[in-house]
Amino acid sequence: MIPAAFEYARASSVEEAAKLLNKYGEDAKVLAGGHSLIPLMRLRLAQPKALVDINGIKDLDHIKEEGSKLHIGALTRHVTIQNSAVVKEKLPILAEVAGEVGDNQVRNMGTIGGVVAHADAAGDYPTIALMLDAEIVTNQRTIAAKDFFKDLFTTPLAADEIVIEVVFPVANGPHKYITVSYTHL
């Protein structure tokens, strides 16, 4: 199916993105990797009147270790998380989960921020965020994961609020994360 018509704007800063979201109102959506949003648009389950593309905001693509926490920028691609030496050492379960995301195309284009911002149950990041008591940082506030994921595709994000990063505690001890793979059923 073809998505409904929409306006498109590309932001070069978080501030510009917030202004564009505010301009277009509640019917606008942030576009990062698009692997959560675009399928919904194609099925017309989501019909935003505007997309604000944040892919040009380089500050949102990072992995930083600060004390006992890992800060993962919203535009950090799954493949970057999967291959990051810092993530493999400090939070190996996150690298493992990132390596299981979709196929190569999805891992190379999809972002942690998109999965988290959409509360997409098809992605495992919300589960990991809840399990590890992560924090979701937006351009307006910091929200504990337990308060962020309200329901399937439901978060407390305001219309002009953008996920900036996800902050995970370091957890490099023994772990096991098992997910059901429909290809093996």
Side-chain angles (χ1 to χ4, degrees), residues 33 39 41 44 58-59 67 132 160 183:
M41 290 175 62
R44 296 209 177 191
K58 301 299 180 210
D59 293 343
L132 296 175
D160 62 345
T183 58

Side-chain angles (χ1 to χ4, degrees), residues 3 50 98 153 165:
F153 300 115
E165 67 181 4

Side-chain angles (χ1 to χ4, degrees), residues 68-70 90-91 128-129 132-135 167-172:
S68 62
K69 301 206 180 224
L70 275 184
K90 300 297 182 178
L91 191 55
I128 297 294
L132 296 175
D133 295 324
E135 297 175 319
V167 181
F168 292 94
V170 169
N172 56 1

Side-chain angles (χ1 to χ4, degrees), residues 82-100:
Q82 174 188 0
N83 295 326
S84 167
V86 172
V87 175
K88 286 179 181 179
E89 178 188 348
K90 300 297 182 178
L91 191 55
I93 193 170
L94 187 62
E96 183 180 313
V97 165
E100 295 292 322

Side-chain angles (χ1 to χ4, degrees), residues 120-121 123-133 145 149 168 177-178:
D120 187 350
D124 291 320
Y125 295 129
T127 302
I128 297 294
L130 286 165
M131 190 172 76
L132 296 175
D133 295 324
F149 301 106
F168 292 94
Y177 185 76
I178 300 171

Side-chain angles (χ1 to χ4, degrees), residues 104-164:
N104 283 336
Q105 181 181 1
V106 172
R107 281 191 297 278
N108 280 290
M109 291 302 298
T111 65
I112 189 171
V115 174
V116 168
H118 285 103
D120 187 350
D124 291 320
Y125 295 129
T127 302
I128 297 294
L130 286 165
M131 190 172 76
L132 296 175
D133 295 324
E135 297 175 319
I136 290 74
V137 179
T138 75
N139 58 320
Q140 298 178 15
R141 58 191 165 149
T142 299
I143 308 165
K146 67 181 178 62
D147 298 321
F148 186 82
F149 301 106
K150 299 293 187 185
D151 203 344
L152 182 64
F153 300 115
T154 307
T155 70
L157 290 174
D160 62 345
E161 198 168 9
I162 301 160
V163 173
I164 303 299

